[in-house]
Amino acid sequence: MEFDLTDEERAFQEAVRRFGDKVLRPNERRIDSEGRIPKEVLDEMARLGLLAMPVPTEYGGMGASAVLTEIAAEEIGRGDLSMATAVFFLLEAGWGWALSRHGTEDAKREILPPVCQGSTFLGIATTEPTGGSDLARMRTTSRRDGEGFTVRGEKAFLSGVEEARTMGGGHLTLTKSTDSDGFNFLYVPTSAPGNTTQRFQNMGRMGISTGAITYADTKVPARYLLGEEGRGFGYAVEGFTVARTFVSAACVGAAERALEVGLEYIRQRPAFGQPLGKFEGIQFEAVDLYTQIEAVKWQCRRAAWLLDRYTLRGDDSHRSEVAKAVAAVKLTAPPVAFETVKRVMMWFGAAGYTKDVGLELGLRGVMSYMVGAEGGLNVMRMILGRELLGKEFLPYS
Ligand SMILES: Cc1cc2nc3c(=O)[nH]c(=O)nc-3n(C[C@H](O)[C@H](O)[C@H](O)COP(=O)(O)OP(=O)(O)OC[C@H]3O[C@@H](n4cnc5c(N)ncnc54)[C@H](O)[C@@H]3O)c2cc1C
């Protein structure tokens, strides 16, 4: 077993950290206030190969391992504490990978290269206005129609609706098949005739939009179907397994950054005649946060390692082990990041409540993963419960 990074991985990590320090940090307030990631930031990400990293080189990606992608996600979460850039990054990585694994050759050649260049957007559409956790009860349908499919329904709380509309692109969309008992997973271009979009007003990660798409008999060509008809649910679950690992890594990066900021502050901020860091009430909190971040960081690295060993190779033989590792880290990482940012804000006292210190960006951003983005915490608990006790212990079985 090897815990150290290879020389190549370390060099890449350093390059992404430099990008975080030099490009993301100076832009994070602007990303938050302007409500978009500047084009020059996306261009630089593309230049470094950071967009849709696991996509094979023949489709424009770098064919990166999950471990390397996880390392990059951590650095991007550290660089832009608002999480907007991390969300953009991990959507392209996770769902770009899903498309490269299950998409038709024509779709991959058409959709993936511009995604990897940062000139179009690729997202995921599963959630509906009636709920996101109980996906099996979704209402959006796809009907076989001549050479393709007709999609009808509505998806909500989708990341990147505005980006896909303005830059071009679309979402991998999970739909109930009217021709079988199963689900179809289809790439639906956002600007397809029949679609209307709406942007929601979020409280955080303002640099990437969240919104809804209504599909009024939207025509989708057959080449945009992922894998086999009726088997889409499994492909979506697989994509979530990959994307959730990168979500967790981004949370680790945000937590590390917040703790660094906090340690620097408590080293010098005086109270009662000595630095705050000398008071064990504060020092021990810092130690506990460090310990939790380290634990979740290695939990995350192991999840990525399992993805490389099995999921990314299309090997389903360790499905339960992978599912548990990923659900456990997605259950742990957002609360650890949230708690770290919150505690450090409190060390700063009144200053922590200001935009000048900038930790509030992180609090608002990480909260998205507490309320539900990429699956709610209780859904992670349900996955773990199912794997530990068996399917018959699911409350609705
Ligand atoms: C900023 C942001 C971006 C998002 N981006 C996307 C996106 O790009 N694409 C997309 O498809 N979706 C996206 N989502 C939606 C996300 O996937 C959903 O929020 C999530 O799946 C939960 O669905 P819901 O919000 O409808 O909550 P519900 O399913 O209504 O659940 C509400 C609460 O109850 C809990 N709960 C649900 N069932 C149970 C149960 N059986 N036992 C105990 N607790 C339960 C949930 O964990 C949650 O806390 C995004 C959400 C946010 C906040």
Side-chain angles (χ1 to χ4, degrees):
M1 188 182 295
E2 184 58 78
F3 282 99
D4 214 359
L5 300 181
T6 63
D7 290 346
E8 246 184 358
E9 287 166 341
R10 191 167 298 286
F12 185 74
Q13 182 185 42
E14 284 165 8
V16 186
R17 184 163 301 186
R18 274 196 301 279
F19 163 73
D21 290 345
K22 294 207 163 89
V23 180
L24 292 182
R25 284 192 199 203
N27 274 299
E28 70 184 355
R29 179 57 67 190
R30 184 179 158 208
I31 289 171
D32 192 65
S33 59
E34 289 184 2
R36 63 185 180 86
I37 303 170
K39 184 171 179 322
E40 60 268 27
V41 173
L42 292 179
D43 286 348
E44 186 59 9
M45 287 176 81
R47 198 187 65 76
L48 290 167
L50 288 171
L51 292 172
M53 280 176 64
V55 165
T57 50
E58 64 258 45
Y59 306 114
M62 65 186 267
S65 66
V67 166
L68 200 66
T69 312
E70 184 261 347
I71 290 167
E74 193 179 315
E75 293 305 327
I76 292 171
R78 175 200 287 269
D80 171 10
L81 204 56
S82 82
M83 304 298 281
T85 313
V87 173
F88 197 104
F89 168 88
L90 67 92
L91 285 170
E92 308 313 73
W95 299 105
W97 174 79
L99 183 62
S100 75
R101 174 151 158 68
H102 296 291
T104 63
E105 194 56 32
D106 283 352
K108 291 192 278 196
R109 295 212 175 274
E110 175 191 335
I111 299 161
L112 290 171
V115 166
C116 297
Q117 287 157 17
S119 49
T120 60
F121 177 85
L122 177 66
I124 170 71
T126 57
T127 308
E128 302 196 348
T130 47
S133 304
D134 186 6
L135 284 183
R137 263 180 250 259
M138 72 172 52
R139 294 176 182 174
T140 301
T141 56
S142 55
R143 175 169 49 85
R144 217 177 298 139
D145 183 3
E147 289 297 295
F149 297 88
T150 296
V151 176
R152 183 182 292 183
E154 189 181 357
K155 297 284 180 188
F157 304 108
L158 312 181
S159 299
V161 166
E162 195 60 19
E163 286 74 4
R165 200 181 60 78
T166 54
M167 297 165 64
H171 291 72
L172 301 187
T173 306
L174 193 61
T175 60
K176 210 160 207 169
S177 161
T178 57
D179 307 297
S180 73
D181 287 340
F183 292 79
N184 293 328
F185 204 23
L186 294 157
Y187 172 76
V188 182
T190 305
S191 308
N195 285 353
T196 47
T197 62
Q198 182 196 347
R199 184 171 184 158
F200 297 156
Q201 292 303 315
N202 276 343
M203 64 174 266
R205 66 186 223 193
M206 310 306 278
I208 183 160
S209 66
T210 305
I213 305 179
T214 305
Y215 314 89
D217 290 335
T218 303
K219 306 280 180 220
V220 178
R223 68 178 185 283
Y224 288 165
L225 174 73
L226 273 74
E228 290 173 37
E229 246 184 287
R231 297 193 54 195
F233 202 88
Y235 309 143
V237 167
E238 194 184 63
F240 277 122
T241 303
V242 173
R244 282 171 186 157
T245 307
F246 306 145
V247 165
S248 307
C251 289
V252 169
E256 285 177 326
R257 158 101 175 269
L259 183 60
E260 274 168 25
V261 169
L263 289 175
E264 206 180 301
Y265 188 71
I266 62 173
R267 269 198 196 96
Q268 52 79 24
R269 170 73 176 182
F272 299 93
Q274 52 182 6
L276 278 178
K278 277 208 168 190
F279 295 103
E280 286 179 339
I282 302 271
Q283 188 184 115
F284 285 8
E285 264 185 21
V287 168
D288 286 350
L289 292 172
Y290 167 80
T291 308
Q292 287 167 26
I293 297 166
E294 277 297 291
V296 78
K297 178 180 174 142
W298 291 106
Q299 200 180 7
C300 199
R301 190 69 45 86
R302 177 172 175 270
W305 179 85
L306 282 168
L307 292 181
D308 280 330
R309 227 172 148 80
Y310 303 110
T311 315
L312 262 58
R313 292 184 183 172
D315 177 352
D316 205 30
S317 63
H318 287 62
R319 190 206 53 78
S320 177
E321 193 181 351
V322 177
K324 280 187 288 194
V326 173
V329 75
K330 172 67 169 65
L331 175 60
T332 319
V336 165
F338 189 80
E339 188 60 21
T340 307
V341 177
K342 184 186 93 183
R343 287 278 151 204
V344 174
M345 279 176 79
M346 288 162 73
W347 299 346
F348 272 84
Y353 201 59
T354 66
K355 290 195 170 181
D356 294 337
V357 169
L359 288 161
E360 47 82 37
L361 281 173
L363 201 78
R364 291 188 277 115
V366 171
M367 191 63 189
S368 68
Y369 289 122
M370 302 282 283
V371 300
E374 299 281 344
L377 299 183
N378 277 351
V379 169
M380 300 307 120
R381 291 186 174 97
M382 285 163 70
I383 294 170
L384 283 159
R386 181 193 67 201
E387 297 305 324
L388 295 174
L389 292 166
K391 265 188 179 167
E392 63 275 24
F393 279 86
L394 281 173
Y396 48 80
S397 66

